[in-house]
Amino acid sequence: MARRTASPLVAALSAAGMTAALTLACGSALADPEPAPPPPPPGVDAPPPPADPLAPPPPADPLAAPPPAEFIAALRRREVTPLSVGRSIVATWQPNETKVLDAIRELGLEWQIIFNKGAVMCLPPGVNKATGLAAALETLELSALNVIAVGDAENDHAFLTACGCSVAVANAIESIKAEADFVTVGARGKGIVELIERFLDGDGLVGNL
């Protein structure tokens, strides 16, 4: 069996990660120890210890507002089941979209309904997968042009459009396949594996997958 080699992208990422790891390990091991600060004079409080540079950052601001409590109550009064409530998203299944829209209209909310095949998802205005990706890329200091997006349903349109390369898996709806740059042969997770293996084999995305 021929030896599988990593693509230049994978090799570059691995090299970067190894460099960072070695820098952290060697830097902490080889640096001269900091001299202990002198004790404070009597009656003077000691200064606070310096911040740990390796400590995790404080939690970021939420990407979207939580669902209004009156909205959840209105959905329960309408016996919308199943009903899942997340930090920002409210989800159910078809054919509950009519009840959901009625509750939004009754309360005068600006919330939106986005479908994910049979799922009915409610989100604050202007919030979708593309906005979530943009927030992550800003933190990672990466460009969306260097991202491959993979989708299969209605809620993936904005996400696919925002990325440099878009891929639809074989079980995607037709509108997603028509929009994507490439369509995999495999469905669901098999399509993802197929995509990754092409890069590991050095084939890239030449023609339809």
Side-chain angles (χ1 to χ4, degrees):
M1 180 181 295
R3 181 177 178 269
R4 175 174 292 179
T5 58
S7 68
L9 174 62
V10 174
L13 291 175
S14 300
M18 183 175 293
T19 301
L22 289 175
T23 301
L24 289 174
C26 296
S28 60
L30 300 179
D32 293 332
E34 292 286 340
V44 177
D45 293 335
D52 183 0
L54 299 181
D61 294 333
L63 297 178
E70 61 269 24
F71 179 44
I72 306 304
L75 295 178
R76 287 175 175 155
R77 283 197 307 270
R78 288 167 171 79
E79 299 182 347
V80 174
T81 56
L83 182 63
S84 300
V85 181
R87 294 183 179 180
S88 298
I89 190 174
V90 178
T92 183
W93 289 88
Q94 292 178 322
N96 286 322
E97 63 270 21
T98 303
K99 295 180 180 179
V100 173
L101 184 59
D102 183 58
I104 292 174
R105 183 185 298 112
E106 175 189 284
L107 297 171
L109 301 177
E110 198 182 354
W111 274 52
Q112 58 184 326
I113 296 176
I114 301 178
F115 292 94
N116 180 4
K117 296 186 176 178
V120 179
M121 300 184 298
C122 313
L123 287 164
V127 175
N128 53 38
K129 285 188 178 183
T131 60
L133 173 67
L137 292 178
E138 182 178 1
T139 301
L140 296 171
E141 298 183 350
L142 297 175
S143 169
L145 295 177
N146 300 117
V147 175
I148 298 177
V150 186
D152 69 339
E154 299 92 330
N155 62 323
D156 292 318
H157 282 291
F159 172 61
L160 294 173
T161 303
C163 297
C165 179
S166 57
V167 177
V169 287
N171 61 299
I173 62 176
E174 291 304 317
S175 61
I176 291 293
K177 289 181 179 179
E179 181 178 305
D181 296 316
F182 304 96
V183 179
T184 64
V185 175
R188 301 177 178 84
K190 291 182 179 179
I192 304 295
V193 173
E194 176 186 336
L195 175 64
I196 294 172
E197 287 183 342
R198 285 186 68 97
F199 271 96
L200 293 179
D201 288 336
D203 294 336
L205 294 179
V206 180
N208 234 26
L209 288 174

